Structure formats: structure tokens, C-alpha cells
Amino acid sequence: MESLPPEEPKKTSLGMDENVEGLLTYLLGWVTGIIFLLLETDSDFVRFHAMQSTITFLGLTVLVIIFKAIPLIGPTLVALTDLLGLVLWILGMVKAYQGERYKFPYVGDLAEQWLEKV
């Protein structure tokens, strides 16, 4: 049996491999999500991950700000939110690097819907 050569990764409008650029959309949370949403014009894969990163981490940032204002249970809620953010951050980067269009619960569908409007 003859084995096929590995498939070349697709390049983006910024000249990077799609999976690497997808990973970078999560690197600094919503900041890199917005940057890649603005800069990437060709790759739906990267734009999806950028939108998902933006929605997820901007939402978590807002929750942390709100939770900090709550006495007694606020610090616990902040810690749980930070832990969730860490898990989603790692998961998003790994899945994007593997070339998978992985959707976070709720946020992934929202990201797809909003991408059609942007």
C-alpha cells in the first residue's frame, strides 16, 4: 500500500497556517480574538475561533467584574470563573491547533450566528 503524503496546512490571508492562527486567536483571550476578527479576511476556520474566543473571554471578563462586587461568595465565584476560563483557554487552543472547528457549549452556536452578520 502506498501512503499519501501529509496534506499541506491551508494558508490564511495573513500568510500563516490556519491551525496556528486559530490557536493564536485564544492566546490573549478576547484581545487576540478581536484582532484576528479584524485582520483575517479569508479563513472561516480562523474567524470562527476568533469570534468564539471573543465571546467566551469577554463574557468571562464581565462575569469576573460582576462577581468581584458580591460580598462573601464573590471570591469563590471569581475563582470558579477563572478555572473555567483556564480550561476553555487550553481546550480552544488545542482544538484549533488540531484543525478542529470545536464549538464550546452555547458560545459556539452563537459565534457561528454572529459570524454571518460580521
Short mmCIF file of all heavy atoms in Angstrom, two decimals, residues 25-66:
data_model
loop_
_atom_site.label_atom_id
_atom_site.label_comp_id
_atom_site.label_asym_id
_atom_site.label_seq_id
_atom_site.Cartn_x
_atom_site.Cartn_y
_atom_site.Cartn_z
N THR A 25 -5.75 32.90 18.14
CA THR A 25 -6.97 33.66 18.46
C THR A 25 -7.32 33.54 19.95
O THR A 25 -8.02 34.40 20.48
CB THR A 25 -8.18 33.21 17.63
OG1 THR A 25 -8.52 31.87 17.95
CG2 THR A 25 -7.92 33.36 16.15
N TYR A 26 -6.84 32.49 20.59
CA TYR A 26 -7.14 32.28 22.02
C TYR A 26 -6.02 32.79 22.93
O TYR A 26 -6.21 32.89 24.14
CB TYR A 26 -7.34 30.79 22.30
CG TYR A 26 -8.57 30.22 21.65
CD1 TYR A 26 -8.49 29.54 20.45
CD2 TYR A 26 -9.82 30.36 22.25
CE1 TYR A 26 -9.62 29.01 19.85
CE2 TYR A 26 -10.96 29.85 21.65
CZ TYR A 26 -10.85 29.17 20.44
OH TYR A 26 -11.98 28.67 19.86
N LEU A 27 -4.85 33.09 22.38
CA LEU A 27 -3.66 33.36 23.18
C LEU A 27 -3.87 34.41 24.27
O LEU A 27 -3.54 34.19 25.43
CB LEU A 27 -2.49 33.75 22.28
CG LEU A 27 -1.14 33.83 22.96
CD1 LEU A 27 -0.74 32.47 23.50
CD2 LEU A 27 -0.10 34.33 21.99
N LEU A 28 -4.44 35.55 23.91
CA LEU A 28 -4.70 36.61 24.90
C LEU A 28 -6.19 36.83 25.09
O LEU A 28 -6.66 37.94 25.33
CB LEU A 28 -4.01 37.92 24.47
CG LEU A 28 -2.49 37.88 24.37
CD1 LEU A 28 -1.96 39.21 23.86
CD2 LEU A 28 -1.86 37.53 25.71
N GLY A 29 -6.95 35.75 24.95
CA GLY A 29 -8.40 35.81 25.17
C GLY A 29 -9.10 36.69 24.16
O GLY A 29 -8.84 36.62 22.96
N TRP A 30 -9.99 37.54 24.66
CA TRP A 30 -10.80 38.36 23.77
C TRP A 30 -9.99 39.38 22.98
O TRP A 30 -10.39 39.80 21.90
CB TRP A 30 -11.95 39.03 24.52
CG TRP A 30 -11.56 39.94 25.64
CD1 TRP A 30 -11.45 39.60 26.96
CD2 TRP A 30 -11.25 41.33 25.56
NE1 TRP A 30 -11.08 40.69 27.70
CE2 TRP A 30 -10.96 41.76 26.87
CE3 TRP A 30 -11.20 42.25 24.51
CZ2 TRP A 30 -10.61 43.08 27.15
CZ3 TRP A 30 -10.85 43.55 24.80
CH2 TRP A 30 -10.56 43.95 26.11
N VAL A 31 -8.83 39.75 23.49
CA VAL A 31 -7.99 40.73 22.78
C VAL A 31 -7.52 40.17 21.44
O VAL A 31 -7.71 40.79 20.39
CB VAL A 31 -6.77 41.16 23.64
CG1 VAL A 31 -5.84 42.06 22.86
CG2 VAL A 31 -7.23 41.84 24.92
N THR A 32 -6.93 38.97 21.46
CA THR A 32 -6.47 38.37 20.19
C THR A 32 -7.67 37.92 19.35
O THR A 32 -7.57 37.90 18.13
CB THR A 32 -5.50 37.20 20.43
OG1 THR A 32 -6.05 36.32 21.41
CG2 THR A 32 -4.15 37.70 20.88
N GLY A 33 -8.77 37.59 20.00
CA GLY A 33 -9.97 37.24 19.25
C GLY A 33 -10.41 38.41 18.38
O GLY A 33 -10.66 38.25 17.18
N ILE A 34 -10.48 39.60 18.96
CA ILE A 34 -10.89 40.79 18.21
C ILE A 34 -9.86 41.13 17.13
O ILE A 34 -10.22 41.45 16.00
CB ILE A 34 -11.11 41.99 19.16
CG1 ILE A 34 -12.36 41.75 20.01
CG2 ILE A 34 -11.22 43.30 18.39
CD1 ILE A 34 -12.60 42.76 21.10
N ILE A 35 -8.58 41.03 17.47
CA ILE A 35 -7.53 41.35 16.50
C ILE A 35 -7.66 40.47 15.26
O ILE A 35 -7.65 40.96 14.13
CB ILE A 35 -6.13 41.21 17.13
CG1 ILE A 35 -5.91 42.34 18.15
CG2 ILE A 35 -5.04 41.21 16.07
CD1 ILE A 35 -4.68 42.17 19.02
N PHE A 36 -7.82 39.16 15.46
CA PHE A 36 -7.90 38.26 14.31
C PHE A 36 -9.24 38.38 13.58
O PHE A 36 -9.32 38.13 12.39
CB PHE A 36 -7.59 36.82 14.70
CG PHE A 36 -6.12 36.58 14.86
CD1 PHE A 36 -5.54 36.53 16.11
CD2 PHE A 36 -5.30 36.42 13.75
CE1 PHE A 36 -4.17 36.33 16.26
CE2 PHE A 36 -3.94 36.22 13.88
CZ PHE A 36 -3.36 36.18 15.14
N LEU A 37 -10.29 38.75 14.30
CA LEU A 37 -11.56 39.01 13.62
C LEU A 37 -11.42 40.18 12.65
O LEU A 37 -11.99 40.17 11.56
CB LEU A 37 -12.65 39.36 14.64
CG LEU A 37 -13.60 38.27 15.05
CD1 LEU A 37 -14.57 38.77 16.11
CD2 LEU A 37 -14.34 37.68 13.88
N LEU A 38 -10.66 41.18 13.05
CA LEU A 38 -10.47 42.36 12.20
C LEU A 38 -9.48 42.11 11.06
O LEU A 38 -9.67 42.62 9.96
CB LEU A 38 -9.98 43.54 13.05
CG LEU A 38 -10.96 44.07 14.09
CD1 LEU A 38 -10.30 45.12 14.98
CD2 LEU A 38 -12.20 44.64 13.43
N LEU A 39 -8.44 41.32 11.33
CA LEU A 39 -7.38 41.15 10.34
C LEU A 39 -7.60 40.02 9.34
O LEU A 39 -7.21 40.13 8.18
CB LEU A 39 -6.03 40.93 11.04
CG LEU A 39 -5.51 42.08 11.89
CD1 LEU A 39 -4.19 41.69 12.55
CD2 LEU A 39 -5.33 43.33 11.06
N GLU A 40 -8.20 38.92 9.78
CA GLU A 40 -8.35 37.75 8.91
C GLU A 40 -9.56 37.94 7.99
O GLU A 40 -10.67 38.15 8.46
CB GLU A 40 -8.52 36.47 9.74
CG GLU A 40 -8.68 35.22 8.92
CD GLU A 40 -7.56 35.02 7.91
OE1 GLU A 40 -6.38 35.08 8.31
OE2 GLU A 40 -7.87 34.80 6.73
N THR A 41 -9.32 37.83 6.69
CA THR A 41 -10.40 38.06 5.73
C THR A 41 -10.83 36.80 4.99
O THR A 41 -11.94 36.75 4.47
CB THR A 41 -9.98 39.12 4.70
OG1 THR A 41 -8.78 38.69 4.06
CG2 THR A 41 -9.76 40.47 5.36
N ASP A 42 -9.98 35.78 4.93
CA ASP A 42 -10.27 34.60 4.11
C ASP A 42 -10.76 33.38 4.88
O ASP A 42 -11.70 32.72 4.47
CB ASP A 42 -9.02 34.18 3.31
CG ASP A 42 -8.64 35.19 2.26
OD1 ASP A 42 -9.50 36.03 1.91
OD2 ASP A 42 -7.49 35.15 1.80
N SER A 43 -10.13 33.05 5.96
CA SER A 43 -10.35 31.77 6.63
C SER A 43 -11.57 31.79 7.57
O SER A 43 -11.56 32.45 8.61
CB SER A 43 -9.11 31.38 7.43
OG SER A 43 -9.37 30.22 8.20
N ASP A 44 -12.60 31.05 7.18
CA ASP A 44 -13.77 30.90 8.06
C ASP A 44 -13.40 30.17 9.34
O ASP A 44 -13.96 30.42 10.40
CB ASP A 44 -14.89 30.14 7.34
CG ASP A 44 -15.55 30.98 6.26
OD1 ASP A 44 -15.48 32.22 6.34
OD2 ASP A 44 -16.14 30.39 5.35
N PHE A 45 -12.45 29.24 9.24
CA PHE A 45 -11.98 28.48 10.40
C PHE A 45 -11.40 29.43 11.45
O PHE A 45 -11.78 29.39 12.63
CB PHE A 45 -10.93 27.46 9.96
CG PHE A 45 -10.27 26.72 11.08
CD1 PHE A 45 -10.90 25.63 11.67
CD2 PHE A 45 -9.02 27.08 11.54
CE1 PHE A 45 -10.30 24.94 12.71
CE2 PHE A 45 -8.41 26.40 12.58
CZ PHE A 45 -9.05 25.31 13.16
N VAL A 46 -10.50 30.30 11.04
CA VAL A 46 -9.87 31.24 11.97
C VAL A 46 -10.89 32.25 12.48
O VAL A 46 -10.92 32.56 13.67
CB VAL A 46 -8.68 31.96 11.29
CG1 VAL A 46 -8.13 33.07 12.18
CG2 VAL A 46 -7.59 30.96 10.95
N ARG A 47 -11.74 32.75 11.60
CA ARG A 47 -12.75 33.73 12.02
C ARG A 47 -13.71 33.12 13.03
O ARG A 47 -14.12 33.78 13.98
CB ARG A 47 -13.49 34.29 10.80
CG ARG A 47 -12.58 35.19 9.95
CD ARG A 47 -13.28 35.82 8.77
NE ARG A 47 -14.50 36.53 9.12
CZ ARG A 47 -14.55 37.73 9.69
NH1 ARG A 47 -13.43 38.35 10.00
NH2 ARG A 47 -15.71 38.30 9.95
N PHE A 48 -14.07 31.83 12.86
CA PHE A 48 -14.93 31.17 13.84
C PHE A 48 -14.24 31.13 15.21
O PHE A 48 -14.83 31.49 16.23
CB PHE A 48 -15.29 29.74 13.40
CG PHE A 48 -15.85 28.93 14.53
CD1 PHE A 48 -17.16 29.11 14.94
CD2 PHE A 48 -15.06 28.01 15.20
CE1 PHE A 48 -17.68 28.39 16.01
CE2 PHE A 48 -15.57 27.28 16.26
CZ PHE A 48 -16.88 27.47 16.67
N HIS A 49 -12.99 30.68 15.24
CA HIS A 49 -12.28 30.60 16.52
C HIS A 49 -12.07 31.98 17.13
O HIS A 49 -12.14 32.13 18.36
CB HIS A 49 -10.95 29.84 16.36
CG HIS A 49 -11.13 28.36 16.31
ND1 HIS A 49 -11.49 27.63 17.41
CD2 HIS A 49 -11.03 27.48 15.28
CE1 HIS A 49 -11.60 26.35 17.07
NE2 HIS A 49 -11.32 26.23 15.79
N ALA A 50 -11.83 32.98 16.29
CA ALA A 50 -11.66 34.36 16.80
C ALA A 50 -12.96 34.85 17.44
O ALA A 50 -12.95 35.46 18.51
CB ALA A 50 -11.23 35.28 15.67
N MET A 51 -14.08 34.59 16.79
CA MET A 51 -15.39 35.01 17.34
C MET A 51 -15.69 34.25 18.63
O MET A 51 -16.14 34.83 19.61
CB MET A 51 -16.49 34.78 16.31
CG MET A 51 -17.87 35.22 16.79
SD MET A 51 -18.02 36.98 17.12
CE MET A 51 -18.27 37.61 15.47
N GLN A 52 -15.43 32.94 18.63
CA GLN A 52 -15.68 32.14 19.83
C GLN A 52 -14.81 32.62 20.99
O GLN A 52 -15.27 32.75 22.12
CB GLN A 52 -15.42 30.66 19.53
CG GLN A 52 -15.67 29.76 20.72
CD GLN A 52 -15.74 28.30 20.34
OE1 GLN A 52 -16.83 27.78 20.18
NE2 GLN A 52 -14.60 27.66 20.18
N SER A 53 -13.55 32.92 20.71
CA SER A 53 -12.65 33.43 21.74
C SER A 53 -13.14 34.77 22.29
O SER A 53 -13.16 34.99 23.50
CB SER A 53 -11.24 33.58 21.15
OG SER A 53 -10.37 34.18 22.08
N THR A 54 -13.55 35.65 21.40
CA THR A 54 -14.03 36.97 21.81
C THR A 54 -15.26 36.87 22.71
O THR A 54 -15.30 37.46 23.79
CB THR A 54 -14.35 37.82 20.57
OG1 THR A 54 -13.17 37.94 19.77
CG2 THR A 54 -14.84 39.20 20.96
N ILE A 55 -16.24 36.10 22.26
CA ILE A 55 -17.48 35.97 23.04
C ILE A 55 -17.21 35.32 24.38
O ILE A 55 -17.67 35.78 25.43
CB ILE A 55 -18.54 35.17 22.25
CG1 ILE A 55 -18.97 35.93 21.00
CG2 ILE A 55 -19.75 34.87 23.13
CD1 ILE A 55 -19.81 35.09 20.04
N THR A 56 -16.45 34.22 24.36
CA THR A 56 -16.19 33.46 25.59
C THR A 56 -15.45 34.30 26.62
O THR A 56 -15.90 34.43 27.77
CB THR A 56 -15.36 32.20 25.28
OG1 THR A 56 -16.09 31.37 24.37
CG2 THR A 56 -15.04 31.41 26.54
N PHE A 57 -14.33 34.86 26.23
CA PHE A 57 -13.47 35.51 27.21
C PHE A 57 -13.91 36.92 27.58
O PHE A 57 -13.66 37.37 28.69
CB PHE A 57 -12.00 35.43 26.76
CG PHE A 57 -11.54 34.01 26.69
CD1 PHE A 57 -11.29 33.40 25.48
CD2 PHE A 57 -11.42 33.24 27.84
CE1 PHE A 57 -10.90 32.07 25.40
CE2 PHE A 57 -11.04 31.92 27.79
CZ PHE A 57 -10.78 31.33 26.57
N LEU A 58 -14.62 37.58 26.68
CA LEU A 58 -15.21 38.86 27.05
C LEU A 58 -16.34 38.62 28.05
O LEU A 58 -16.48 39.35 29.04
CB LEU A 58 -15.71 39.61 25.81
CG LEU A 58 -16.03 41.08 25.96
CD1 LEU A 58 -14.86 41.85 26.53
CD2 LEU A 58 -16.43 41.66 24.62
N GLY A 59 -17.13 37.58 27.81
CA GLY A 59 -18.19 37.21 28.75
C GLY A 59 -17.66 36.85 30.11
O GLY A 59 -18.19 37.29 31.15
N LEU A 60 -16.58 36.06 30.14
CA LEU A 60 -15.99 35.67 31.42
C LEU A 60 -15.39 36.89 32.13
O LEU A 60 -15.47 36.98 33.37
CB LEU A 60 -14.92 34.59 31.21
CG LEU A 60 -15.45 33.21 30.81
CD1 LEU A 60 -14.30 32.26 30.52
CD2 LEU A 60 -16.36 32.63 31.89
N THR A 61 -14.82 37.82 31.39
CA THR A 61 -14.27 39.04 31.99
C THR A 61 -15.37 39.85 32.65
O THR A 61 -15.21 40.34 33.78
CB THR A 61 -13.55 39.88 30.92
OG1 THR A 61 -12.48 39.11 30.35
CG2 THR A 61 -12.99 41.17 31.50
N VAL A 62 -16.50 39.99 31.98
CA VAL A 62 -17.63 40.72 32.55
C VAL A 62 -18.13 40.02 33.81
O VAL A 62 -18.41 40.68 34.83
CB VAL A 62 -18.76 40.89 31.50
CG1 VAL A 62 -20.04 41.40 32.15
CG2 VAL A 62 -18.31 41.80 30.38
N LEU A 63 -18.24 38.69 33.76
CA LEU A 63 -18.68 37.94 34.95
C LEU A 63 -17.74 38.16 36.14
O LEU A 63 -18.20 38.35 37.27
CB LEU A 63 -18.78 36.45 34.64
CG LEU A 63 -20.01 35.99 33.88
CD1 LEU A 63 -19.92 34.49 33.59
CD2 LEU A 63 -21.28 36.30 34.66
N VAL A 64 -16.45 38.14 35.89
CA VAL A 64 -15.49 38.34 36.98
C VAL A 64 -15.66 39.73 37.59
O VAL A 64 -15.64 39.88 38.82
CB VAL A 64 -14.04 38.12 36.48
CG1 VAL A 64 -13.02 38.67 37.46
CG2 VAL A 64 -13.78 36.64 36.24
N ILE A 65 -15.86 40.73 36.76
CA ILE A 65 -16.07 42.09 37.28
C ILE A 65 -17.32 42.15 38.15
O ILE A 65 -17.31 42.75 39.23
CB ILE A 65 -16.15 43.10 36.11
CG1 ILE A 65 -14.79 43.23 35.44
CG2 ILE A 65 -16.66 44.46 36.59
CD1 ILE A 65 -14.80 43.96 34.12
N ILE A 66 -18.38 41.51 37.71
CA ILE A 66 -19.63 41.47 38.49
C ILE A 66 -19.43 40.70 39.79
O ILE A 66 -19.83 41.15 40.87
CB ILE A 66 -20.77 40.86 37.66
CG1 ILE A 66 -21.15 41.78 36.51
CG2 ILE A 66 -21.99 40.55 38.54
CD1 ILE A 66 -22.05 41.16 35.46
#
